[in-house]
Amino acid sequence: MIIENKYGKVEFDWKDYKRVMLSFSGGTDSTLLLWLSLNLLETKKYTILQVFTGVTPHKGKFKQFTSQENFDMMREEFSHLKDRVPDRIIMYNDTQEELGKEQIRLADKEGLFDLRMYALTANPPYDIMEKNNLIRKRIKERDIENKKDEWVLHQRYHGPMYQPFINVDKRFIAQCYEDFDLWRFYNNTISCERLRETPDMKFSEEPCGHCWWCREKKMAFGMLDGQLK
């Protein structure tokens, strides 16, 4: 499957792997990846797609609820694939490292999946970051000028890892929402990470508009979380 627009090109295919794990945070990137994966699954007769959401006290706790709505909507739209898309696994651990260990256990001991798939994107070009105040607090390793392999043999996770969006930035994602008419999922996606600094982790429907992830989303989509009318 080839996805191409003015912001880049992705050749999307998980090859001959039969038990694919998709990391689904509930953001716009992983929501697009799930929708594309369900379309690809229609061509992969013997493949199981296992959706996985990791939750730690500082990440993902509030996204699990809105992302469930999008997961349920997609399973309904692709209801003929339900037998190959099991219920979403939600894992609660104290740290990202513990979540990684749990994924290893599920892969190695239970044979639940043989490929891990993530929706990480690159940072936009430097001039775009400069214009949108994205230079500070960015993850420099994701700069789009630093091309990366989409396929990696992950030593820590004891197996292959696939990141199809690692060489395109979020503008590519936003264009896909337009090209494939995926706006019905948008208001259930969350990018703002304001709650990482809120001890009680109470959910707020209003994005802060100031964190790096809010600025990135505004740059790509022209709006923040939940602002599609």
Side-chain angles (χ1 to χ4, degrees):
M1 177 188 296
I2 297 177
I3 306 103
E4 185 171 11
N5 59 46
K6 60 185 176 181
Y7 297 112
K9 178 180 178 180
V10 170
E11 296 183 18
F12 180 54
D13 189 5
W14 55 63
K15 302 180 180 178
D16 293 326
Y17 289 97
K18 296 296 187 288
R19 301 183 307 281
V20 178
M21 184 213 82
L22 188 156
S23 181
F24 183 53
S25 70
T28 51
D29 306 351
S30 63
T31 298
L32 171 63
L33 184 59
L34 176 55
W35 185 83
L36 290 172
S37 295
L38 289 167
N39 280 275
L40 183 60
L41 190 62
E42 294 189 302
T43 71
K44 305 281 189 179
K45 187 175 180 180
Y46 300 107
T47 301
I48 301 294
L49 179 66
Q50 178 64 67
V51 178
F52 180 100
T53 298
V55 179
T56 68
H58 300 290
K59 188 173 184 181
K61 188 173 182 179
F62 51 101
K63 295 181 180 180
Q64 62 179 300
F65 305 110
T66 53
S67 61
Q68 185 66 47
E69 294 184 37
N70 278 343
F71 178 72
D72 290 342
M73 286 171 61
M74 288 196 213
R75 279 224 301 181
E76 188 60 35
E77 290 183 14
F78 292 85
S79 58
H80 56 291
L81 298 175
K82 276 187 178 179
D83 61 329
R84 293 194 287 130
V85 185
D87 290 339
R88 180 171 64 145
I89 294 176
I90 301 178
M91 288 276 175
Y92 300 89
N93 292 90
D94 289 334
T95 65
Q96 291 293 111
E97 183 177 357
E98 289 179 9
L99 282 173
K101 289 179 180 177
E102 186 63 18
Q103 288 183 11
I104 292 171
R105 184 187 69 79
L106 292 173
D108 291 353
K109 294 186 178 179
E110 298 189 20
L112 195 61
F113 42 80
D114 54 9
L115 174 67
R116 295 164 179 79
M117 184 165 55
Y118 300 90
L120 295 178
T121 56
N123 297 329
Y126 197 88
D127 60 324
I128 301 297
M129 286 195 289
E130 210 167 29
K131 183 179 178 181
N132 291 275
N133 191 22
L134 293 171
I135 301 294
R136 274 188 72 244
K137 294 190 176 182
R138 79 189 193 277
I139 301 173
K140 293 181 181 180
E141 291 77 16
R142 293 193 194 175
D143 285 356
I144 200 166
E145 290 80 7
N146 303 324
K147 293 294 183 183
K148 298 176 179 62
D149 289 333
E150 295 173 353
W151 288 87
V152 178
L153 184 60
H154 203 295
Q155 299 299 322
R156 177 184 167 195
Y157 288 168
H158 301 176
M161 181 173 71
Y162 181 37
Q163 300 179 123
F165 301 150
I166 198 64
N167 291 311
V168 294
D169 65 67
K170 209 175 197 77
R171 295 173 301 166
F172 176 89
I173 305 296
Q175 188 62 50
C176 286
Y177 272 68
E178 180 65 24
D179 293 345
F180 299 124
D181 192 20
L182 301 179
W183 296 113
R184 61 194 178 280
F185 304 118
Y186 180 85
N187 280 345
N188 285 330
T189 67
I190 296 178
S191 295
C192 182
E193 299 212 349
R194 63 208 176 280
L195 296 184
R196 285 189 179 197
E197 300 176 1
T198 305
D200 57 13
M201 295 297 288
K202 288 183 177 178
F203 178 72
S204 169
E205 292 184 357
E206 295 298 323
C208 71
H210 303 296
C211 71
W212 194 93
W213 307 101
C214 274
R215 296 197 301 272
E216 183 198 34
K217 194 168 196 174
K218 185 69 178 292
M219 175 275 298
F221 286 90
M223 56 186 159
L224 300 174
D225 297 344
Q227 292 185 343
L228 180 66
K229 304 300 182 183

